[in-house]
Structure formats: C-alpha cells, structure tokens
Amino acid sequence: MLDKVKVLLDEVSSYSPKNPEELEQFRIQYLGKKGKMNDLFAAFKEVPNDQKKAFGQALNQLKQAIQDKLDEGKASFSENTQQSSGLDLSRPMSADQLGSRHPLSLVRNEIAEIFKRIGFTLSEGPEIEDDWHNFTALNLPDEHPARDMQDTFFIQQNPDILLRTHTSSVQVRFMENNQPPIRTLSPGRVYRNEAISARAHCIFHQVEGLYIDNDVSFADLKQTLLYFAKEMFGDKTEIRLRPSYFPFTEPSAEVDVSCNICSGKGCNVCKYTGYLEILGCGMVDPNVLKNCGIDPNVYTGFAFGMGIERIAMLKYQVKDLRLFFENDVRFLEQFKSTF
Ligand code: DAH
C-alpha cells in the first residue's frame, strides 16, 4: 500500500501539464469523486493499525503534492495567456487617425478670435434672404445699378427671395434687433452666380464686421483694421486704404495688406505691387442706419466685409480656390497641425 502511494507521489512530482485542459484532467484524475485519492482514502480502513500512521502521513504528503502541482500550473497558465493570445499589452497604443479642421474653418475661427479680443460678439443670419435685407435696406433700392455688382441666385422665380450675395445682410438684421453700442462679427456662406475658376466660385464665405456707437470715426476703423492685419498676418504687416464705392458705406475704402511673401518688395504673388487686397469697408451710410431703426443723428459706425477664402489663400499660399471645395484629403491633411 505504502509503495503504491510512493509511485503516485513520483508520478505527480514528475508530471507537467501542457495546457489548462490537461491540468484539469489531472485534477479530476486525482481529486475527482472517482479519483485516485478517494480510492486511497477508502483503502485506509483496510490498513493494519500499526501502519496507519505512516500511511496517513504518506497520503497527506501526496495530497499536498497534488495541490502544489495544481497551484503551480494555474499560475503559469494565467501568466502565459497574454503571450498565447498573441497580444503584447505593454506595447504603446498606435495614434488614432485624427481628422483635421478645414482650412476655411481654421481661418474663420482665427478671425473670430482676433475680433473677440476687442469686444466683438458673433452673430448669424439666414442664407436664404429676402430682398430687403440683402439689398434694399443696404441702400440698394430696386433698379439700383449697383445690384449688378453681385450676380444673384433667386429662388423659384420669386424676385423677393434669394440666396444672400454677401453677409452684409446680417448687419441689417442685427441693427433691426439691437440698439448701439453694437460690435458684432458675422461669418457665413454666400452665393453668387459666377463661373467657377481658380479665383471665383458660386459659393464662398465672408465675415462681416459692424461697429456702431457714439462718435465712431474713420480713424477707429483704420486702427481696428490695422490691429486685425497685424494679428492675422504678422506684426510687421502694414495696411493701405484706397477710396472705393459701396452703396452701404460713405466714405468707402478697399484695404490692402503688405505682401507677407516679399514683405512689400514685390513678387509674383502680389504682382509686384507689394500689396494684396483683403477687404472692403467704410462708414455706415446714414440711410442704412435709418432703414434699420438707428438714429443717424446720434450714432455713427463702421462696417467691413472680407472673403474667408481670400484670407486663407494668402495665409496658406493656396493658388486655386477650388481646392477648398473638393475635399481632397491630400490637401486637407496639410492643415493637421494647425488648430
Ligand atoms: N458686402 C461687400 C461685398 O460682398 C463687402 C463689404 C464692403 C462689406 C464694404 C462691408 C463694407 O460691410 O462696408 O463685396
């Protein structure tokens, strides 16, 4: 009997399971209901009294050896699961495929940030507009020749409903609903019936600015735009104002910034003039203030409007405006590192 236990003890100590399934078989074989240990304990009764002590000790030793083997096997298989599943959990994660903001959104956000710092709020208006907000209130009555400056898409042959041709329509809505002091910036999409080319599109984006208060002067306009140009294009940037005409401002001007490529020396980007046109502006015409319910005898103000595509083209040296609308990831991915 004692010999039988010794044989089993050798068997157990030399046993090495290859996988958790084998280990479980081993457990059943020895410790299961019909297992070898139960047989031995059953045989214990038959053992003569004088041998009981030695036999009991041998049995306990065997049981302990079995338990040790089970514990050892369990621990080693749980360590191995990481390797055997083929996963290395200590490897650094691969970077997520992050998208990037569209360059036009980047530029719009930057313009908004720059004006936010000097107290401008953001406002929006509808893209489908009526004649009053897009034209008439802005000092462009019916048949006014300046309406031809912007080729308009009308909706369903209704000459009163159109796709806004500029974000100046938002100034009208804002003044109708707010009294001065007004400092607001209105970014948005605009539409014009134009042939698509490297320099023009039938859909594009503008930002409109409006500042109305007591004693707002042309000098305030100039200083505000100089601040914007320096923030947007760099500290060394200079601006130049040229007299111009817009029906909704008097006097009106077009604003150029010194070319950020050649620093004003002349290159093919600025066509050797040293300057690039970026926006239109002027003092809000008293008629416009009146049309919008603001007393022109008490208040004055300035307005400006710029194309976001134009600013983005200058800032990122993009030569073809159509790239902004094609959504080619090879183009868009180049703006990944900018926020
Ligand atoms: N609305 C003009 C355009 O689309 C841009 C503009 C010029 C806006 C002068 C203004 C302004 O507010 O004062 O061409």
Side-chain angles (χ1 to χ4, degrees):
M1 244 345 183
L2 212 51
D3 289 346
K4 200 175 165 190
V5 176
K6 287 222 171 89
V7 171
L8 287 178
L9 199 57
D10 284 347
E11 219 177 89
V12 167
S13 54
S14 61
Y15 176 71
S16 87
K18 291 193 192 62
N19 51 44
E21 291 76 31
E22 268 190 35
L23 187 70
E24 178 61 5
Q25 281 305 316
F26 169 84
R27 188 191 65 79
I28 294 168
Q29 224 176 65
Y30 285 89
L31 299 182
K33 255 197 184 140
K34 293 179 184 154
K36 295 180 183 179
M37 282 311 285
N38 269 355
D39 289 351
L40 289 172
F41 278 118
F44 189 72
K45 283 183 239 148
E46 322 289 309
V47 174
N49 272 353
D50 61 333
Q51 291 174 31
K52 269 204 161 90
K53 192 176 171 200
F55 188 67
Q57 277 174 351
L59 273 189
N60 282 337
Q61 203 185 341
L62 177 62
K63 203 178 162 201
Q64 190 57 52
I66 295 165
Q67 195 54 53
D68 289 348
K69 195 54 84 175
L70 286 171
D71 292 347
E72 194 182 291
K74 239 190 234 163
S76 88
F77 290 130
S78 74
E79 261 170 34
N80 283 344
T81 40
Q82 291 172 6
Q83 283 156 18
S84 59
S85 67
L87 292 176
D88 177 0
L89 298 183
S90 63
R91 258 181 72 178
M93 229 170 69
S94 59
D96 278 342
Q97 278 293 322
L98 285 181
S100 52
R101 278 197 203 285
H102 193 280
L104 295 180
S105 304
L106 292 171
V107 170
R108 184 209 39 216
N109 293 351
E110 193 174 346
I111 298 171
E113 269 306 310
I114 292 171
F115 281 100
K116 223 162 98 180
R117 290 202 283 275
I118 52 169
F120 279 70
T121 58
L122 282 186
S123 52
E124 283 185 338
E127 290 177 23
I128 299 176
E129 248 321 348
D130 53 37
D131 181 278
W132 168 258
H133 292 96
N134 196 79
F135 291 128
T136 308
L138 287 164
N139 218 15
L140 281 138
D142 244 2
E143 313 299 332
H144 191 290
R147 286 191 179 214
D148 289 346
M149 284 163 80
Q150 302 171 356
D151 287 320
T152 310
F153 285 118
F154 291 94
I155 295 206
Q156 290 184 337
Q157 278 92 45
N158 181 346
D160 193 45
I161 306 294
L162 45 90
L163 294 178
R164 67 180 178 195
T165 57
H166 53 183
T167 43
S168 301
S169 55
V170 190
Q171 316 182 1
V172 177
R173 288 184 177 274
F174 200 90
M175 286 191 277
E176 283 174 343
N177 295 310
N178 298 277
Q179 279 296 307
I182 290 172
R183 258 177 282 177
T184 190
L185 199 73
S186 321
R189 195 175 291 152
V190 300
Y191 302 82
R192 283 183 203 177
N193 190 2
E194 285 194 28
I196 297 170
S197 72
R199 297 172 61 87
H201 209 291
C202 54
I203 304 174
F204 57 102
H205 300 80
Q206 288 188 332
V207 175
E208 187 79 11
L210 179 69
Y211 184 10
I212 315 271
D213 206 341
N214 298 307
D215 303 322
V216 177
S217 71
F218 202 90
D220 296 321
L221 169 61
K222 204 174 155 188
Q223 197 59 35
T224 304
L225 295 177
L226 179 63
Y227 155 78
F228 165 71
K230 283 180 185 290
E231 292 291 304
M232 193 73 198
F233 297 105
D235 215 25
K236 299 221 165 65
T237 310
E238 287 171 17
I239 60 169
R240 180 173 81 174
L241 278 75
R242 286 178 288 106
S244 185
Y245 170 74
F246 298 102
F248 26 90
T249 42
E250 181 59 36
S252 305
E254 275 169 307
V255 176
D256 303 337
V257 290
S258 54
C259 177
N260 57 345
I261 302 300
C262 61
S263 316
K265 286 186 200 77
C267 67
N268 62 356
V269 174
C270 61
K271 303 208 183 72
Y272 298 94
T273 62
Y275 281 90
L276 297 155
E277 185 193 323
I278 58 157
L279 57 83
C281 65
M283 301 306 291
V284 180
D285 192 300
N287 276 338
V288 175
L289 293 177
K290 220 184 298 162
N291 287 340
C292 302
I294 290 177
D295 186 349
N297 296 316
V298 180
Y299 296 108
T300 52
F302 64 71
F304 56 88
M306 64 184 108
I308 299 182
E309 280 81 359
R310 173 127 190 103
I311 306 281
M313 285 170 92
L314 296 177
K315 196 169 167 76
Y316 299 122
Q317 289 306 302
V318 175
K319 299 256 157 58
D320 192 325
L321 185 128
R322 287 168 291 197
L323 285 165
F324 292 124
F325 300 94
E326 284 164 359
N327 284 336
D328 184 333
V329 283
R330 290 169 303 178
F331 173 68
L332 298 177
E333 274 187 338
Q334 296 176 44
F335 301 91
K336 245 185 185 160
S337 58
T338 358
F339 286 95

